Amino acid sequence: MSLEKKISMAVIKRLPRYYRYLSDLLRLGITRISSKELSSRMGITASQIRQDLNCFGGFGQQGYGYNVEYLYNEIGNILGVNETFKVIIIGAGNMGQALANYSNFEKRGFKLTGIFDVNPELIGKRIRDIEIMSLDSMDRFIMENRVDIAILCVPYEHTPAIADRVACLGVKGLWNFSPMDLKLPYDVIIENVHLSDSLMVLGYRLNEMLKIEK
Amino acid sequence: MSLEKKISMAVIKRLPRYYRYLSDLLRLGITRISSKELSSRMGITASQIRQDLNCFGGFGQQGYGYNVEYLYNEIGNILGVNETFKVIIIGAGNMGQALANYSNFEKRGFKLTGIFDVNPELIGKRIRDIEIMSLDSMDRFIMENRVDIAILCVPYEHTPAIADRVACLGVKGLWNFSPMDLKLPYDVIIENVHLSDSLMVLGYRLNEMLKIEK
């Protein structure tokens, strides 16, 4: 598997998209698809698709296209959807609660084990059977439960300190919803989510379209 | 401004990131920055930064770097943060409520004017002074209020029909949180948000790191 380490982030970032499209095809009962047809559905060139999938050893037969179920399962394996990660959410405000309620993540191997907040009105409440606990009890919880991933939904100014704290306790992955590109000096994988970036791109494109129409 | 129409989506997608970093610099009291220093902060090459900003006519003086406030305001103008868009949220579940509570969007010119749902237990409740209304009253509301953007937080299977419905009523921008790449045959700008894609990339990278450590 040493091959996989050289795969570019651009390719890796496209894998979940392949996975989604293949899942749709399965749902539609489509068992076989050519790179050309997949290309027109996904809006990616066929040569890009072949190139991407070749990074992982191919999967297609010339002239026969791809076996949808096989490719779906293989991409799932590459993405590690059959692995299980223990996840906590820090910050049980609206975004934290929305994510806690999103049971789809569990299907992909992300198991929510704890939710933490400082707000006494939230502590003790339950979301999908998981109690919101005090932030004071988080450190011990992380160590005892060997938490893999922390989802950070805390206010901007508290994010770096909380990230430091959980990384020092051995959490290896951070999914950050605070509007900053979080960086840490340790061996921690960080994915920063910037929702408003996507909204601002929408605003820009909308403005451009309205200018043309005027 | 006809120049702007040729700008690639890759550049446009980086603009909100520049805007965030410049906002951080302003907050830190930094008034001037070289492309080299901005480059090391942002993890983008200096030549990429110069190239990106040249798409909009430059802004920098050779040897002097960029005036942070000026650049921040100019990028804000390009992104249209001073325009106001009327926004509705369709689907007042957890994600819809999280977005409704996120007042930061208003600072960027996105004004929430209505929230709609089908659930009788939610209809009539208020989020930040805005009442959740019945989906039955949405069509009239969109027409009377000239809504620009609809945020779609409805279940997967209802998304295409709802998207069609609002597009036919003149909504020009869709921000879609359903896990599908929504496409419409009309002149509508769509930004699809795929939260679980980002989580799956985190899982993949985490697996790769753990393999190396073993």
Side-chain angles (χ1 to χ4, degrees), chain B residues 48-198:
Chain B
Q48 177 80 77
I49 291 178
R50 285 191 297 268
Q51 210 177 312
D52 282 353
L53 299 180
N54 274 338
C55 294
F56 303 96
F59 310 121
Q61 278 172 280
Q62 196 120 39
Y64 278 87
Y66 298 103
N67 177 318
V68 174
E69 190 175 356
Y70 177 71
L71 188 55
Y72 173 78
N73 289 331
E74 287 297 310
I75 291 182
N77 285 336
I78 292 165
L79 283 169
V81 295
N82 302 315
E83 316 272 337
T84 304
F85 293 109
K86 284 191 192 162
V87 177
I88 59 169
I89 292 175
I90 310 175
N94 290 293
M95 184 53 76
Q97 289 197 30
L99 294 171
N101 271 298
Y102 197 55
S103 57
N104 251 0
F105 296 145
E106 313 245 312
K107 288 185 204 147
R108 307 268 157 94
F110 299 91
K111 185 155 179 43
L112 183 62
T113 56
I115 309 169
F116 299 89
D117 205 288
V118 289
N119 182 348
E121 283 177 33
L122 290 174
I123 294 165
K125 281 194 180 175
R126 288 183 166 272
I127 303 178
R128 290 202 299 124
D129 231 32
I130 296 161
E131 193 183 326
I132 301 174
M133 291 169 275
S134 162
L135 199 65
D136 293 335
S137 60
M138 183 183 71
D139 298 34
R140 176 183 283 231
F141 184 94
I142 287 174
M143 285 190 291
E144 285 179 355
N145 292 277
R146 296 174 157 271
V147 172
D148 301 299
I149 293 174
I151 303 180
L152 307 181
C153 301
V154 298
Y156 186 90
E157 61 274 21
H158 298 304
T159 302
I162 289 278
D164 252 344
R165 182 165 150 194
V166 299
C168 290
L169 291 165
V171 172
K172 289 291 184 201
L174 299 179
W175 201 28
N176 173 37
F177 280 79
S178 172
M180 63 171 60
D181 284 334
L182 189 63
K183 284 165 203 149
L184 288 181
Y186 332 100
D187 235 6
V188 175
I189 309 286
I190 303 173
E191 280 283 319
N192 295 297
V193 178
H194 294 297
L195 285 182
S196 49
D197 280 18
S198 150

Side-chain angles (χ1 to χ4, degrees), chain A residues 154-163 180:
Chain A
V154 298
Y156 186 90
E157 60 276 20
H158 298 304
T159 302
I162 288 278
M180 62 170 61

Side-chain angles (χ1 to χ4, degrees), chain A residues 1 4-5 7 9 12-13 15-17 19-21 24 27 40-43 56 78-81 83 85 94-95 97-99 101-102 104-105 108 110 148-149 156 172-175 177 179-181 183 187-213, chain B residues 1 4-5 7 9 12-13 15-17 19-21 24 27 40-43 56 78-81 83 85 94-95 97-99 101-102 104-105 108 110 148-149 156 172-175 177 179-181 183 187-213:
Chain A
M1 294 302 244
E4 290 182 23
K5 274 148 214 159
I7 293 162
M9 271 307 290
I12 293 160
K13 279 184 186 294
L15 288 181
R17 195 156 156 223
Y19 194 67
R20 266 190 287 116
Y21 272 86
D24 285 347
R27 212 176 313 185
S40 84
R41 280 179 180 262
M42 293 184 65
F56 303 95
I78 293 165
L79 283 169
V81 295
E83 316 270 339
F85 294 110
N94 290 291
M95 184 53 76
Q97 290 196 29
L99 295 172
N101 272 299
Y102 196 53
N104 251 359
F105 295 146
R108 307 269 156 96
F110 300 92
D148 302 300
I149 293 173
Y156 186 90
K172 289 292 185 200
L174 299 178
W175 202 29
F177 281 80
M180 62 170 61
D181 283 334
K183 284 167 204 146
D187 236 7
V188 176
I189 309 287
I190 303 172
E191 280 284 320
N192 294 297
V193 179
H194 294 298
L195 286 181
S196 50
D197 281 18
S198 150
L199 185 59
M200 287 174 89
V201 168
L202 178 64
Y204 173 88
R205 294 172 62 201
L206 209 52
N207 265 331
E208 290 303 300
M209 185 174 76
L210 298 175
K211 270 183 214 163
I212 295 167
E213 284 184 358
Chain B
M1 294 303 240
E4 290 179 24
K5 274 148 217 162
I7 293 162
M9 271 308 288
I12 292 160
K13 280 185 185 293
L15 288 180
R17 193 153 159 224
Y19 194 67
R20 267 190 286 117
Y21 272 87
D24 285 346
R27 212 176 310 184
S40 82
R41 282 180 178 262
M42 292 184 65
F56 303 96
I78 292 165
L79 283 169
V81 295
E83 316 272 337
F85 293 109
N94 290 293
M95 184 53 76
Q97 289 197 30
L99 294 171
N101 271 298
Y102 197 55
N104 251 0
F105 296 145
R108 307 268 157 94
F110 299 91
D148 301 299
I149 293 174
Y156 186 90
K172 289 291 184 201
L174 299 179
W175 201 28
F177 280 79
M180 63 171 60
D181 284 334
K183 284 165 203 149
D187 235 6
V188 175
I189 309 286
I190 303 173
E191 280 283 319
N192 295 297
V193 178
H194 294 297
L195 285 182
S196 49
D197 280 18
S198 150
L199 185 59
M200 288 175 90
V201 169
L202 179 63
Y204 173 87
R205 294 173 62 202
L206 209 52
N207 266 332
E208 290 303 300
M209 186 174 75
L210 297 175
K211 272 184 214 164
I212 295 167
E213 283 183 0

